[in-house]
Amino acid sequence: ACVSPIDGKTLANIALCKTAEANKAVKCAREVFDQGLWSKASPVKRKAILLKFADLIEQHSEDFALLETLDMGKPISDAINVDIPGALRSFRWSAEAIDKIYDEVAPTSDNELGLVTREAVGVVAAIVPWNFPLVMASWKLGPALASGNSVILKPSEKSPLTAIKLAALAQEAGIPDGVFNVLPGYGHEVGKALALHNDIDTLVFTGSTAIAKQLMIYAGESNMKRVWTEAGGKSPNIVFADAPNLDEAAQAAAGAICFNQGEVCTAGSRLLVEASIKDEFINKVKAAMQHWQPGNPLDPNTNVGAIVDSTQHERVLAYVEKGKNQQATLCCGGNKTQPVAGGFYIEPTMFSNVDNKMAIASDEIFGPVLSVITFNGMDEAIAIANDTPYGLAAGIWTKDLSKAHKMAKAVRAGSVWVNQWDGGDMTAPFGGFKQSGNGRDKSLHAFNKYTEVKATWIKL
């Protein structure tokens, strides 16, 4: 059953794929890869088909947006204005890039020729999360398909609807049967089957750190397939007293934890504030958070939707209670609410007087819960920011250019944003350090995950 978090009602019953379906999908994907219908097609041909694919998605953009909102509870305005355009950019950028990536000729003596070429890796399994179902899929499908691979997409069981529709449009666009396959189902069943399959060449994953570790174990137990993970985060948003605009920084801090109900791997869930501006800045953030209130996700004016399901809803509420029990100060929010009967909603929540060792500061909650931690000076800010197993993203607010550069170098994170939150576009890689994973989505760096590098040395 596919249940909408908006009102707790069942939207549809979805195919529950297991090992048998995984085996069938891998067999189809391998056969068509070996046949070369897609893998040996020219980059120009693959580009044309993927651009048509993107055009079809755009023609059905309102359908995709509605499915995203119904399926996982995000505000319809975000689905229309953020998710769908982001997916389109990803597909089109990857399609346009593929016939502009050149191979290499090594510098050799006159009687030798050294070639360095890239080849599609083969069959790719992509396991994507429920918080941005279409965008996360597009970040993987774009470069994987453009490179000539066959791809099996395993959407989250919490949000499979857009992936299913995507497969129908892929067929209409002219992507050969077997090149793109969708397997809805549970991670511990069909996801595990894909991770253990000996004929999967590469596994790409976005999701929790715990599952990322398990997938790497499965790869080692099977065929040592390449595994690229983008995992959890507990990202520090560091505000110095000399920030160029404290009001702007406060608005960004509120958005960094409230957007998409806080169900974002790069959510700015740890707000590090210089002690000299603590009270002033907390009041500014508290005021800014009042503009982020849960409502019916289908209302275009809503900016905070529903938590994805009852399990995640209870998890977030449990962390709110942990914050209270560990003596953090509840500044605002913390209550469940129900703008739509039967749905799963939580008020955006902020705690101050938080110690970095508290559960609300150390664990990835994946909900709209903000922990405010104070610091004195750069050294303490760096120590607190890096005192986490995660390293996905960080924000730095200062008008001191030297301080900004020093902080950006010192913070162990894959993305660092200065005087903003969540900067970048398709030209910049996205991924983390430490237990936030090893993969990079977006940019030309993403193609490294989906290609093998071959050296060919010829005696002339």
Side-chain angles (χ1 to χ4, degrees):
C2 186
V3 177
S4 175
I6 295 176
D7 55 11
K9 295 180 180 178
T10 298
L11 294 166
N13 287 309
I14 306 301
L16 183 63
C17 296
K18 297 188 179 182
T19 302
E21 286 76 27
N23 291 339
K24 183 178 180 181
V26 175
K27 184 174 183 291
C28 291
R30 175 61 62 192
E31 287 177 353
V32 74
F33 181 82
D34 290 343
Q35 290 166 6
L37 295 175
W38 184 254
S39 59
K40 295 179 182 178
S42 70
V44 172
K45 182 177 180 180
R46 293 199 300 267
K47 177 176 79 169
I49 292 175
L50 287 175
L51 289 175
K52 182 179 178 181
F53 187 26
D55 289 344
L56 287 170
I57 296 169
E58 186 169 32
Q59 290 170 25
H60 293 80
S61 59
E62 289 190 354
D63 295 337
F64 277 104
L66 181 59
L67 289 174
E68 293 286 73
T69 293
L70 289 172
D71 210 2
M72 63 76 53
K74 68 171 67 232
I76 188 70
S77 57
D78 289 342
I80 290 173
N81 297 315
V82 178
D83 293 57
I84 309 308
L88 290 171
R89 281 194 297 274
S90 179
F91 280 117
R92 287 170 173 156
W93 197 91
S94 297
E96 289 288 1
I98 195 60
D99 63 353
K100 301 170 184 68
I101 299 175
Y102 286 77
D103 292 321
E104 305 166 34
V105 177
T108 63
S109 59
D110 192 52
N111 64 339
E112 294 177 309
L113 177 63
L115 304 177
V116 182
T117 56
R118 288 188 176 273
E119 299 177 2
V121 71
V123 178
V124 175
I127 300 176
V128 298
W130 47 261
N131 57 336
F132 293 94
L134 187 60
V135 171
M136 294 295 100
S138 72
W139 284 5
K140 286 141 175 39
L141 292 172
L145 290 172
S147 299
N149 297 285
S150 296
V151 184
I152 300 167
L153 175 64
K154 208 297 280 185
S156 169
E157 66 275 8
K158 302 179 192 291
S159 57
L161 298 183
T162 49
I164 294 170
K165 185 170 181 64
L166 204 59
L169 294 186
Q171 190 173 45
E172 186 178 341
I175 295 175
D177 288 350
V179 169
F180 175 42
N181 312 269
V182 174
L183 295 180
Y186 293 114
H188 65 273
E189 293 177 342
V190 69
K192 179 179 180 180
L194 291 171
L196 286 169
H197 204 293
N198 284 316
D199 212 17
I200 294 287
D201 299 296
T202 289
L203 175 64
V204 290
F205 169 78
T206 297
S208 73
T209 294
I211 299 301
K213 291 178 179 180
Q214 188 61 59
L215 294 174
M216 297 177 84
I217 292 172
Y218 290 152
E221 290 176 345
S222 53
N223 62 336
M224 213 167 75
K225 59 179 65 64
R226 286 100 174 96
V227 180
W228 301 99
T229 63
E230 190 269 279
K234 196 67 182 178
S235 300
N237 189 14
I238 308 165
V239 182
F240 287 93
D242 66 351
N245 187 321
L246 288 179
D247 290 324
E248 183 180 339
Q251 293 287 341
I257 193 62
C258 297
F259 174 67
N260 211 53
Q261 305 74 247
E263 297 167 329
V264 186
C265 56
T266 57
S269 53
R270 288 190 299 151
L271 178 58
L272 278 57
V273 181
E274 196 156 21
S276 61
I277 59 168
K278 172 191 171 185
D279 293 338
E280 175 191 3
F281 194 70
I282 286 176
N283 287 333
K284 288 179 182 293
V285 177
K286 182 177 178 180
M289 288 180 71
Q290 301 312 305
H291 299 287
W292 294 83
Q293 295 299 322
N296 187 334
L298 293 171
D299 182 344
N301 295 314
T302 293
N303 61 2
V304 179
I307 302 297
V308 71
D309 65 5
S310 59
T311 301
Q312 183 65 17
H313 188 245
E314 291 304 315
R315 171 184 165 85
V316 176
L317 289 171
Y319 271 103
V320 172
E321 290 306 309
K322 286 182 182 179
K324 294 176 183 177
N325 294 336
Q326 293 184 330
Q327 306 305 308
T329 301
L330 180 63
C331 298
C332 63
N335 300 309
K336 61 181 177 181
T337 181
Q338 207 165 63
V340 182
F344 312 117
Y345 303 85
I346 295 173
E347 294 173 343
T349 304
M350 178 168 63
F351 285 99
S352 63
N353 297 316
V354 176
D355 182 275
N356 202 49
K357 300 299 183 185
M358 292 180 181
I360 55 172
S362 62
D363 298 354
E364 185 180 36
I365 300 172
F366 229 61
V369 181
L370 179 63
S371 295
V372 183
I373 306 167
T374 55
F375 67 89
N376 287 287
M378 284 178 56
D379 290 344
E380 188 176 10
I382 292 166
I384 295 171
N386 289 337
D387 183 21
T388 173
Y390 302 111
L392 194 55
I396 300 165
W397 297 80
T398 176
K399 61 184 176 184
D400 184 329
L401 185 61
S402 179
K403 184 190 295 183
H405 277 294
K406 288 179 179 178
M407 289 293 298
K409 286 184 177 181
V411 175
R412 299 285 294 166
S415 295
V416 178
W417 304 307
V418 179
N419 295 329
Q420 61 180 317
W421 189 263
D422 198 22
D425 59 21
M426 279 300 299
T427 64
F430 177 82
F433 288 13
K434 300 190 285 186
Q435 292 186 44
S436 287
N438 62 344
R440 290 296 182 272
D441 286 322
K442 306 196 300 180
S443 83
L444 294 178
H445 292 277
F447 287 87
N448 295 333
K449 299 188 294 187
Y450 305 108
T451 53
E452 296 279 24
V453 177
K454 176 179 286 186
T456 303
W457 208 258
I458 303 169
K459 184 177 181 180
L460 302 177

